[in-house]
Amino acid sequence: MADEKVKSDPSAPPAEYNVGDFNSTTKLADAPAMIDDAEYNPFEHRQIEKPNSTAGSLIHLLKSSLGTGILAMPVAFKNAGLLFGAIGTVVVGLICTHCVHILVKTSHQICQRTRIPVLGFAETAERVFEYGPPKLRRLAGFSKAFVDYALMATYYSAGCVYIVFIATSFHDVINYTTDNDWNVRIYILLTMIPILVIGQIRELKYLVPFSALANLFIVVTFGITLYYIFKDPLEFDDKPLFSSFGTLPLFFSTVIFAMEGIGVVMPVENSMAKPQHFLGCPGVLNTAMGTVIVLYAVIGFFGYVRFGELAKGSVTLNLPLQDDLAIAAQILIALAILFTFGLQFYVPMDILWRKIQHKIPKNKHMISQIALRSGIMIIMGGVGLAVPELEPFIGLVGAVFFSSLGLFVPCVVETVFYWPNELGKFRWVLIKNIIFGAFSIFALVAGAYSKRSNLMNEEMELKATSGPESVLPTSTEDDDHYEPFRHRRVKKPSSTSGTIIHMLKGSLGTGILAMPSAFRNGGLVFGLLGTTLVGVIYAHCVYLLVSTSQKSSKRMRVPQLGFSETAQSVFRYGPHGTRRFANVAKGYIDYSLLIVSFFSVCVYLIFISTTLRGVINSLTGLTWDTRIYILLTAVPLIFVTQVRELRYLVPFSALANTLILVTFCITLYYIFREPIDLSGCRLFPEITALPSFFGTVVYAVEGIGVVLPVENKMKHPEHFLACPGVLGTVITFIMLLYNVTGFFGYARYGASTEANVTANLGSDEVLALSTQLLAALAILFTLGIYYYVPMDILWRKVKHFFVPERHNMAQIAIRFGILLAMTALALGVPELEPFIGLVGSICSATLGLLTPIMLDTVYRWPVEGSFGWYRWRLIKNCLLLAFGVFILIVGTYFSIKDIVSIYG
């Protein structure tokens, strides 16, 4: 593309411009203006190589807003009622239309003011802030970057979902009609063939036929759906006019995200041969949105009347599957999404190419675009292959960004542009934009909440359906003489000291700062005894898990087994009554570890970002939102989460441990800098406080998910359970630190001890604030080891779908895609912690305490005399199981109580 400067002199010879040439780097001429800004007409200075007709622009805009979301309208009406649904759909449609109108109008006006022929969405936001009030001008670069990266994140993520959606639709239809049993991943690979072709189209003009076909398929599906809706008499009497206030957020989120297509607006308008036809009356915008509103209202109203409370997320799911016409509707929807891909892919590629084209020689532009587009589409397909349950996470990304991009950003842009003297009589523009901005925030929160609910439902409904992995003997030796350690072939093993660092990081986290609160509930004497008891029990459970894994490896004659493979082996070779649960045990552990680990990433992101916001905003006077810090935190995590070998994570874990210890030392300084008075502290707890005490200590100490991955990567695995060994050293050190911090922290602050003791240090001293910052950085450097465990599980499940030469690229894509989804989840649902606490309470108690005890019991059961004299090991395991069940019930109870207090 060309990179010429925009000429301010209208008499100058016209330059050739493309849409992508006008961005944040476009320079204004240094010469003085020869005509007034008011006389400058941006439309007359546009030089577009391949402009789009008015009809073509109308088709594109219809396609951007008229998608499969129309089929979700009956369920939207179910959440609103007939009357409110009809009125609400029209109101939301008018608001969306108005926000597009003010965005385009503001873009035209800033083009006129800056004497630039054309500006995109991000460039419009940048120029508005650049020429806005002096105090806001420093935000110009940020506003452009936010819009650009939000658009790219949204559309690339949506592309992954489109690929999965298309493949799943054809999988269901073809397998149903032909009795095939092909896996959905085969259909994803087949779908990638036309995707790779459509995604190479770089001009909107050439995408018009695809958008037209997609619109046609949508309309035909719409017609088929209407046929099933109206073929029998409709009953209106049992349908409420208004549903309930509690379901209104679901209604608004569904309608807004179904209609919103803001990312396509500026590219479509900028590519028009006659851009003056975009606004106006009727104009492209009014015609397209009027059509969309009418169609959405009709299908929503009558679809709800037909199916009532049985209405599903897509109304096609309510159609009878035994009818060929209903099957045709599903095929047409899949084809419509396929032909829509080019338009959805155009927006992020246009942004990305403008950012990097100047780094590539012009004679390499063609091959670079082909390679870049193909590479990104392959990554998207790889993400779809690896994570076919991606839709809830991407829905959350769309919910967050589309509501902010489509509603909030246009209102902000118009307000800043007109500030302070052009806001109309009584500043009605400001009042109007505040109202619409508040509505957009409501839509964002409502959409994020509903998507979070869907996400939680998806995750909790995962079934342990994975089949047994092939575990073959690697030697012909007798079982008694097989030594697993001698047969391990670890490419890059960790040293014993590195393993100690990883184990310390697995259990030694910010939980140490919660120990004074635990002692507040347990008392000084009982706190010491109880913390030591929990540490001993946890160490014993880790010992049982590792020893059982090593014995199972020897019995199966394999070098090593992971957590879930150990459980599968134990049950498979256990008593006859347990063998059928082998695969269930493996699946439960795998998915529990995945859920806990990935969701913990979201919580840690929120923790880091909230801490950074509190510290930085208080020191600098900034007023940045937590979500800005979430995005900033995600940048270094892009690199940290790409580390795939434990040995390379040792420096990160060591640094995290150092930061935690420094935080610990600063905390001790504040604790001991004045004499401590023990007279106001309890020695023993009240009975009602015991659950809180044990819950805090167990979840602070427990790090079972890291144990076997770390042990399996050791150069000398025999050092793990030796005396003193890795396990004994780590647990002893942790118990010492936890007891010291808990005892003296409670002794210092007494009944006023906060849940995180750093909150007791105050915020008026830089040293006190630094403890919070160091804790946040420690968690940041810890995320690599937390990311390792679930990625190791996930990669073992999916790597056989990729040829070996694609493993590196597939791993990069999967790791980045999951981090993107976790970041989006953190952005959208900042009140996620209670739900993670619930999942953690259930999974951590079962994984860290109950499962190792159960595995040891099942392994020993068939072997005569293995429980020792008077079956003392069985009695001991029963007592420990009772303790674990107590922790499980208590943790679950308090997590649910927190959720009810926040959302109830």
Side-chain angles (χ1 to χ4, degrees):
M1 292 187 181
D3 194 25
E4 299 86 39
K5 297 180 180 180
V6 178
K7 305 294 183 182
S8 60
D9 184 357
S11 63
E16 292 189 1
Y17 297 113
N18 288 320
V19 176
D21 293 320
F22 305 100
N23 51 41
S24 59
T25 60
T26 306
K27 299 180 180 178
L28 299 177
D30 297 328
M34 297 180 62
I35 57 175
D36 294 335
D37 288 349
E39 298 176 8
Y40 180 84
N41 187 346
F43 300 156
E44 295 176 357
H45 293 76
R46 289 189 182 181
Q47 300 294 329
I48 301 171
E49 249 180 66
K50 299 171 183 177
N52 215 6
S53 66
T54 301
S57 300
L58 177 62
I59 291 173
H60 281 314
L61 199 59
L62 276 171
K63 189 67 226 77
S64 69
S65 293
L66 180 62
T68 55
I70 191 174
L71 303 176
M73 288 306 296
V75 76
F77 270 66
K78 180 179 73 174
N79 291 314
L82 288 179
L83 180 61
F84 191 91
I87 297 174
T89 300
V90 174
V91 170
V92 171
L94 292 177
I95 292 175
C96 291
T97 304
H98 176 74
C99 289
V100 173
H101 179 92
I102 62 177
L103 174 65
V104 175
K105 183 180 177 182
T106 304
S107 182
H108 291 167
Q109 291 172 322
I110 197 65
C111 284
Q112 188 178 48
R113 178 178 296 180
T114 58
R115 304 169 63 76
I116 296 176
V118 62
L119 288 171
F121 191 175
E123 290 76 20
T124 297
E126 180 189 36
R127 295 291 180 177
V128 165
F129 277 88
E130 191 175 299
Y131 287 84
K135 292 184 179 180
L136 297 179
R137 291 177 184 176
R138 61 178 180 173
L139 298 176
F142 170 77
S143 63
K144 179 180 185 297
F146 174 79
V147 174
D148 272 345
Y149 290 114
L151 285 171
M152 284 195 288
T154 302
Y155 282 96
Y156 283 140
S157 302
C160 299
V161 176
Y162 279 11
I163 292 170
V164 174
F165 178 87
I166 297 165
T168 303
S169 298
F170 282 113
H171 165 270
D172 293 344
V173 171
I174 296 176
N175 282 10
Y176 175 79
T177 55
T178 64
D179 293 328
N180 280 338
D181 59 351
W182 285 3
N183 188 277
V184 69
R185 289 181 171 87
I186 298 177
Y187 290 94
I188 290 177
L189 292 173
L190 294 174
T191 301
M192 288 303 300
I193 298 173
I195 287 289
L196 286 169
V197 176
I198 294 174
Q200 292 295 341
I201 301 176
R202 302 170 214 162
E203 299 292 341
L204 278 174
K205 179 177 182 179
Y206 299 135
L207 286 171
V208 170
F210 294 97
S211 290
L213 273 177
N215 285 335
L216 176 62
F217 292 156
I218 288 285
V219 171
V220 172
T221 304
F222 176 73
I224 294 173
T225 304
L226 288 180
Y227 161 74
Y228 280 100
I229 288 174
F230 290 110
K231 74 172 185 176
D232 296 318
L234 297 171
E235 293 290 339
F236 293 83
D237 295 340
D238 59 338
K239 309 302 184 302
L241 298 180
F242 176 78
S243 182
S244 69
F245 287 103
T247 56
L248 285 184
L250 296 173
F251 165 76
F252 283 114
S253 63
T254 303
V255 178
I256 290 173
F257 306 137
M259 284 188 179
E260 191 55 69
I262 193 71
V264 180
V265 169
M266 295 309 300
V268 168
E269 189 274 342
N270 287 343
S271 296
M272 288 183 68
K274 297 179 180 179
Q276 61 270 24
H277 291 177
F278 190 84
L279 300 179
C281 188
V284 171
L285 175 62
N286 292 338
T287 302
M289 293 305 296
T291 304
V292 166
I293 292 170
V294 170
L295 290 178
Y296 273 52
V298 169
I299 198 73
F301 185 91
F302 291 106
Y304 175 50
V305 172
R306 164 58 60 203
F307 300 111
E309 295 302 311
L310 298 178
K312 298 183 179 180
S314 174
V315 71
T316 55
L317 298 176
N318 289 105
L319 306 185
L321 291 177
Q322 63 271 22
D323 290 3
D324 291 339
L325 199 58
I327 292 176
Q330 296 186 40
I331 294 176
L332 291 174
I333 280 295
L335 292 175
I337 290 297
L338 176 63
F339 292 135
T340 304
F341 183 87
L343 182 61
Q344 297 291 333
F345 197 61
Y346 174 88
V347 177
M349 283 307 305
D350 179 65
I351 297 170
L352 182 60
W353 181 247
R354 285 190 281 110
K355 287 184 177 294
I356 67 172
Q357 63 174 332
H358 63 280
K359 300 179 181 179
I360 302 173
K362 289 188 177 181
N363 61 339
K364 301 289 187 181
H365 277 194
M366 175 68 74
I367 190 66
S368 298
Q369 280 239 44
I370 293 174
L372 181 64
R373 287 171 173 266
S374 299
I376 291 176
M377 285 184 284
I378 289 172
I379 291 174
M380 293 163 66
V383 173
L385 282 169
V387 194
E389 301 296 334
L390 192 66
E391 295 89 330
F393 297 97
I394 306 304
L396 185 61
V397 177
V400 173
F401 286 122
F402 271 134
S403 60
S404 57
L405 291 175
L407 302 177
F408 188 76
V409 172
C411 292
V412 171
V413 165
E414 186 189 41
T415 303
V416 173
F417 182 79
Y418 287 134
W419 189 274
N421 300 318
E422 301 179 51
L423 294 171
K425 193 173 183 180
F426 304 116
R427 295 199 166 192
W428 71 269
V429 173
L430 176 62
I431 297 172
K432 176 262 296 181
N433 285 343
I434 289 175
I435 294 173
F436 286 169
F439 177 75
S440 72
I441 294 173
F442 164 76
L444 184 150
V445 174
Y449 179 85
S450 63
K451 293 298 179 183
R452 188 267 305 150
S453 300
N454 291 339
L455 175 60
M456 293 298 296
N457 290 336
E458 290 282 348
E459 291 291 345
M460 297 304 292
E461 289 172 5
L462 282 174
K463 297 180 181 179
T465 56
S466 57
E469 295 187 7
S470 178
V471 184
L472 300 177
T474 58
S475 171
T476 57
E477 303 176 43
D478 294 334
D479 291 351
D480 292 340
H481 297 93
Y482 180 83
E483 295 296 334
F485 298 160
R486 291 172 49 199
H487 294 77
R488 288 192 180 181
R489 298 292 183 267
V490 182
K491 285 185 180 179
K492 300 172 183 178
S494 297
S495 65
T496 301
S497 59
T499 304
I500 291 176
I501 292 173
H502 282 315
M503 282 291 294
L504 279 172
K505 195 66 234 82
S507 293
L508 180 61
T510 55
I512 191 174
L513 304 176
M515 288 307 298
S517 174
F519 271 66
R520 183 192 64 196
N521 292 315
L524 292 177
V525 175
F526 188 87
L528 289 172
L529 297 175
T531 301
T532 304
L533 174 65
V534 169
V536 171
I537 292 175
Y538 172 68
H540 181 67
C541 290
V542 172
Y543 179 90
L544 293 180
L545 175 64
V546 175
S547 62
T548 302
S549 179
Q550 292 175 354
K551 288 183 290 187
S552 296
S553 297
K554 185 173 184 178
R555 180 169 61 185
M556 297 187 67
R557 297 193 293 118
V558 294
Q560 60 192 28
L561 289 171
F563 196 168
S564 61
E565 290 80 14
T566 297
Q568 184 185 40
S569 170
V570 167
F571 277 86
R572 179 180 292 174
Y573 291 94
H576 289 285
T578 67
R579 293 178 183 178
R580 59 179 177 175
F581 298 109
N583 293 336
V584 174
K586 180 180 185 298
Y588 175 79
I589 292 173
D590 274 345
Y591 290 120
S592 294
L593 288 172
L594 284 173
I595 293 171
V596 172
S597 300
F598 282 142
F599 275 47
S600 295
V601 173
C602 300
V603 175
Y604 289 150
L605 270 173
I606 294 169
F607 174 84
I608 296 168
S609 306
T610 303
T611 303
L612 292 178
R613 183 198 64 186
V615 174
I616 296 176
N617 284 8
S618 65
L619 292 177
T620 63
L622 294 174
T623 58
W624 286 3
D625 185 76
T626 304
R627 290 182 174 86
I628 297 176
Y629 289 100
I630 290 176
L631 292 172
L632 293 175
T633 303
V635 175
L637 289 182
I638 294 174
F639 304 99
V640 173
T641 55
Q642 289 295 336
V643 180
R644 305 173 206 165
E645 296 295 336
L646 274 174
R647 66 181 298 186
Y648 298 136
L649 287 171
V650 169
F652 294 99
S653 291
L655 183 56
N657 287 336
T658 302
L659 294 175
I660 285 290
L661 290 177
V662 172
T663 304
F664 169 71
C665 292
I666 296 174
T667 303
L668 288 183
Y669 160 74
Y670 278 96
I671 289 174
F672 289 112
R673 71 175 178 176
E674 295 176 6
I676 294 176
D677 182 11
L678 301 179
S679 60
C681 299
R682 293 200 312 268
L683 299 181
F684 296 94
E686 297 178 1
I687 298 298
T688 55
L690 280 178
S692 296
F693 169 77
F694 282 114
T696 303
V697 177
V698 168
Y699 303 132
V701 172
E702 197 274 329
I704 196 74
V706 180
V707 170
L708 283 178
V710 167
E711 189 269 348
N712 286 340
K713 286 286 186 177
M714 288 185 69
K715 184 176 182 179
H716 299 288
E718 64 274 12
H719 293 174
F720 193 90
L721 297 181
C723 184
V726 171
L727 178 61
T729 302
V730 169
I731 294 298
T732 301
F733 185 71
I734 286 175
M735 286 302 97
L736 177 63
L737 290 182
Y738 275 40
N739 275 315
V740 169
T741 306
F743 184 94
F744 290 106
Y746 172 52
R748 160 62 58 199
Y749 300 109
S752 62
T753 304
E754 299 284 348
N756 186 328
V757 72
T758 57
N760 288 105
L761 306 185
S763 59
D764 53 343
E765 297 184 34
V766 175
L767 188 61
L769 284 175
S770 68
T771 60
Q772 301 178 41
L773 186 61
L774 291 174
L777 291 177
I779 290 298
L780 177 65
F781 293 125
T782 303
L783 283 175
I785 186 69
Y786 278 108
Y787 210 70
Y788 175 85
V789 176
M791 284 307 307
D792 181 64
I793 296 170
L794 185 61
W795 180 244
R796 284 189 282 107
K797 287 182 175 295
V798 303
K799 67 179 181 180
H800 61 280
F801 293 107
F802 303 93
V803 293
E805 56 267 27
R806 299 287 186 184
H807 279 188
N808 187 52
M809 182 60 69
Q811 281 232 50
I812 293 173
I814 294 169
R815 287 171 173 268
F816 178 77
I818 291 177
L819 175 62
L820 183 66
M822 296 300 98
T823 304
L825 189 59
L827 284 168
V829 192
E831 294 294 335
L832 191 67
E833 294 91 329
F835 295 93
I836 304 303
L838 178 62
V839 177
S841 298
I842 297 172
C843 296
S844 295
T846 53
L847 293 175
L849 300 177
L850 299 179
T851 301
I853 298 166
M854 188 176 298
L855 293 181
D856 179 70
T857 304
V858 174
Y859 183 90
R860 293 177 182 276
W861 195 275
V863 182
E864 186 176 351
S866 61
F867 285 118
W869 288 356
Y870 303 104
R871 302 174 75 87
W872 70 268
R873 286 193 178 92
L874 179 60
I875 297 171
K876 175 262 298 180
N877 285 352
C878 290
L879 293 174
L880 294 178
L881 279 172
F883 178 76
V885 170
F886 167 75
I887 296 299
L888 170 66
I889 295 173
V890 167
T892 303
Y893 168 78
F894 280 101
S895 296
I896 293 175
K897 187 176 180 181
D898 289 341
I899 292 172
V900 172
S901 65
I902 293 176
Y903 294 99

